[in-house]
Amino acid sequence: MDEAMEKRWRELSEEVLSGMKEWRLAHPKATLREIEEAASERMSRLEAQLVQGTALASSQRKWSQLPEEEQPRCRVCELLLRERGEHARKLQGKGGKEITLKRQYGTCPLCGVGLFPPG
Ligand SMILES: [Zn+2]
């Protein structure tokens, strides 16, 4: 586990906890539904960071080090993709939170289509 990432997670957890406490003080008459919404909004922010950090930590493999049958192929031509290095890929997480992953990107040597393999 990356130390900077772990620190970021701790800070964010603290923010969630203290933010919720402050929110409660500012909304002493909140209904259960409002409390649920406030908590869920904060948790989904933390969740997005956990997902992003964990996914990043497991994405360091290079295709070329994989056995050929596990390397990604063009869906149309079924040729092995050429590695084009890492590109940032933005995904929609749960609750609409944007998650940025660095993923290997490849292009097909025949049709030139570029894609991120699943994962
Ligand atoms: Zn192709």
Side-chain angles (χ1 to χ4, degrees), residues 50-63:
L50 289 175
V51 170
Q52 180 172 319
T54 307
L56 277 175
S58 60
S59 72
Q60 309 304 331
R61 280 181 321 170
K62 283 224 168 169
W63 303 341

Side-chain angles (χ1 to χ4, degrees), residues 2-117:
D2 183 302
E3 256 180 60
M5 190 168 83
E6 203 179 329
K7 188 163 172 282
R8 176 82 192 106
W9 284 1
R10 284 188 200 291
E11 285 168 2
L12 201 64
S13 317
E14 288 300 318
E15 269 172 48
V16 168
L17 299 179
S18 61
M20 201 57 212
K21 217 157 75 181
E22 279 163 28
W23 184 89
R24 184 54 171 156
L25 290 172
H27 303 84
K29 292 182 180 156
T31 63
L32 181 61
R33 173 50 52 90
E34 289 165 341
I35 294 171
E36 278 177 351
E37 275 169 13
S40 152
E41 199 278 317
R42 284 166 175 75
M43 289 309 288
S44 71
R45 222 184 304 151
L46 178 61
E47 189 182 353
Q49 283 294 320
L50 289 175
V51 170
Q52 180 172 319
T54 307
L56 277 175
S58 60
S59 72
Q60 309 304 331
R61 280 181 321 170
K62 283 224 168 169
W63 303 341
S64 43
Q65 295 159 353
L66 294 172
E68 198 178 298
E69 63 272 18
E70 286 177 30
Q71 290 184 27
R73 291 171 183 271
C74 174
R75 285 184 204 121
V76 180
C77 320
E78 300 191 338
L79 292 173
L80 290 175
L81 296 181
R82 282 207 191 110
E83 260 177 312
R84 297 292 186 199
E86 290 199 323
H87 287 230
R89 181 186 196 184
K90 290 190 189 304
L91 299 171
Q92 285 283 307
K94 266 169 54 184
K97 291 280 174 302
E98 192 169 77
I99 293 175
T100 305
L101 301 178
K102 277 232 172 91
R103 280 291 185 252
Q104 294 292 329
Y105 179 78
T107 54
C108 172
L110 189 60
C111 72
V113 77
L115 60 88
F116 290 100

